[in-house]
């Protein structure tokens, strides 16, 4: 009987210690939550942060004021507002192509960009996944980078954008959310070929020149016909800006 009483007393002491520790930890969590989020509920604080994150546009690494004078000096016919609009259209049409599973939505771009899009669509199809970009909204677009060498020049635009992103498989959302917005940044690169003879690697130049009929590799930018099937091809128009890449950053 005495032994049972001792056991019960020990259990009560243990419960008391656990309860005391629980109260201390709970108080610390509430104080931390109050200081960090302005509410004593940690769950409410985390949810509020998620909501703020979903509606706060991403900042862009804007260097337009730094690079634009250099670009316009090298290319007096470079119209910033027009090129920015084209870059935004390329980005939106690229996302629309993924959303609708139709590569033809892409407004313009090099063969390499089109191949990249086709590859992404193929991977989604093979996995039985549909990716959605609902209600995209552009916030800001700036020039992020300007690179120049003897053979080519490159201007990279960076855009902040929001959308409802989610992936579906067999009608079930497997990633993202239909209800919560996602804020993101994308880089859109456009290139200007100055001298085809100085380009050492066609793929590095963002051109990926192939025959439109058989898909065979063309010997160079100035090729007049395919060496495999003799199909006439249109010579790549150098000294013109072409969009070569779209990627999330």
């Amino acid at each position: 009987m005495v032994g049972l009483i001792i056991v019960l007393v020990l259990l009560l002491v243990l419960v008391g210690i656990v309860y005391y520790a629980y109260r201390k930890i709970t108080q610390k969590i509430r104080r931390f939550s109050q200081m960090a989020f302005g509410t004593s509920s940690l769950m409410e604080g985390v949810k509020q942060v998620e909501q703020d994150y979903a509606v706060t546009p991403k900042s862009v690494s804007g260097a337009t004021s730094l690079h634009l004078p250099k670009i316009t000096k090298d290319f007096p016919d470079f119209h910033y507002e027009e090129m920015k609009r084209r870059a935004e259209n390329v980005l939106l049409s690229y996302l629309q192509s993924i959303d609708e599973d139709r590569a033809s939505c892409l407004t313009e771009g090099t063969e390499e960009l089109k191949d990249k899009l086709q590859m992404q669509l193929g991977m989604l199809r093979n996995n039985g996944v549909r990716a959605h970009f609902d209600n995209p909204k552009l916030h800001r677009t700036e020039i992020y980078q300007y690179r120049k060498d003897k053979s080519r020049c490159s201007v990279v635009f960076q855009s902040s954008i929001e959308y409802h992103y989610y992936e579906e498989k067999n009608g079930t959302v497997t990633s993202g959310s239909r209800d919560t917005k996602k804020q993101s940044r994308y880089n859109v690169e456009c290139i200007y070929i100055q001298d085809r003879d100085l380009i050492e690697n066609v793929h590095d130049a963002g051109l990926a020149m192939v025959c439109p009929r058989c898909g065979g590799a063309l010997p160079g930018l100035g090729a007049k016909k395919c060496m495999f099937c003799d199909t006439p091809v249109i010579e790549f128009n150098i000294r013109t800006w072409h969009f070569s890449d779209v990627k999330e950053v």
Side-chain angles (χ1 to χ4, degrees):
M1 188 68 179
V2 175
L4 179 60
I5 293 174
I6 293 173
V7 171
L8 290 175
V9 171
L10 290 174
L11 285 175
L12 287 173
V13 171
L14 181 61
V15 170
I17 293 173
V18 171
Y19 178 73
Y20 177 79
Y22 168 77
R23 287 295 298 259
K24 281 291 187 181
I25 293 173
T26 302
Q27 289 174 0
K28 288 183 178 180
I29 291 175
R30 286 177 177 172
R31 284 199 297 268
F32 169 78
S33 179
Q34 189 69 44
M35 290 187 296
F37 308 120
T39 175
S40 59
S41 171
L42 183 61
M43 293 299 294
E44 288 182 5
V46 172
K47 187 176 181 180
Q48 183 61 47
V49 169
E50 291 178 348
Q51 291 175 347
D52 292 342
Y53 185 79
V55 298
T56 303
K58 292 275 190 178
S59 60
V60 296
S61 301
T64 302
S65 60
L66 174 65
H67 294 306
L68 187 56
K70 300 176 185 177
I71 298 171
T72 53
K73 181 181 178 181
D74 295 336
F75 303 94
D77 293 334
F78 184 93
H79 300 291
Y80 170 67
E81 291 298 333
E82 177 188 351
M83 292 302 298
K84 183 174 75 169
R85 177 184 55 78
R86 286 176 60 189
E88 291 177 339
N89 287 339
V90 168
L91 171 57
L92 291 174
S93 66
Y94 188 92
L95 300 181
Q96 181 185 1
S97 293
I98 298 174
D99 180 81
E100 298 184 10
D101 191 20
R102 289 193 301 120
S104 59
C105 293
L106 184 64
T107 54
E108 60 175 309
T110 62
E111 289 302 318
E112 185 180 35
L113 179 58
K114 295 175 182 178
D115 288 344
K116 177 181 177 179
L117 176 59
Q118 289 283 12
M119 185 179 300
Q120 189 169 355
L121 293 177
M123 290 176 60
L124 290 170
R125 291 174 192 145
N126 291 338
N127 293 326
V129 173
R130 283 293 301 272
H132 297 276
F133 294 87
D134 288 352
N135 303 316
K137 178 182 178 182
L138 283 165
H139 294 293
R140 184 183 175 192
T141 299
E142 297 283 352
I143 294 176
Y144 167 62
Q145 194 173 58
Y146 174 52
R147 293 172 294 191
K148 177 184 177 182
D149 58 36
K150 292 181 179 180
S151 62
R152 57 171 276 177
C153 298
S154 167
V155 175
V156 179
F157 290 89
Q158 187 169 103
S159 297
S160 61
I161 187 172
E162 73 176 32
Y163 40 66
H164 289 88
Y165 174 80
Y166 60 96
E167 294 180 0
E168 283 184 317
K169 190 169 185 178
N170 299 324
T172 302
V173 175
T174 58
S175 177
S177 171
R178 287 192 180 101
D179 303 318
T180 304
K181 295 178 181 178
K182 178 182 177 182
Q183 302 287 341
S184 188
R185 284 188 299 264
Y186 280 82
N187 283 353
V188 179
E189 181 179 22
C190 58
I191 59 173
Y192 184 101
I193 305 303
Q194 299 192 104
D195 190 339
R196 67 165 61 91
D197 296 328
L198 293 178
I199 297 176
E200 297 179 355
N201 189 308
V202 173
H203 289 276
D204 287 342
L207 303 178
M209 298 298 293
V210 296
C211 173
R213 180 180 179 185
C214 71
L218 300 179
L221 297 176
K224 303 297 183 182
K225 66 178 182 178
C226 175
M227 60 189 298
F228 301 101
C229 66
D230 288 331
T231 298
V233 296
I234 299 175
E235 180 179 357
F236 190 88
N237 187 11
I238 67 170
R239 300 187 181 278
T240 303
W241 292 101
H242 300 270
F243 288 90
S244 62
D245 195 24
V246 173
K247 63 180 178 182
E248 188 174 16
V249 295

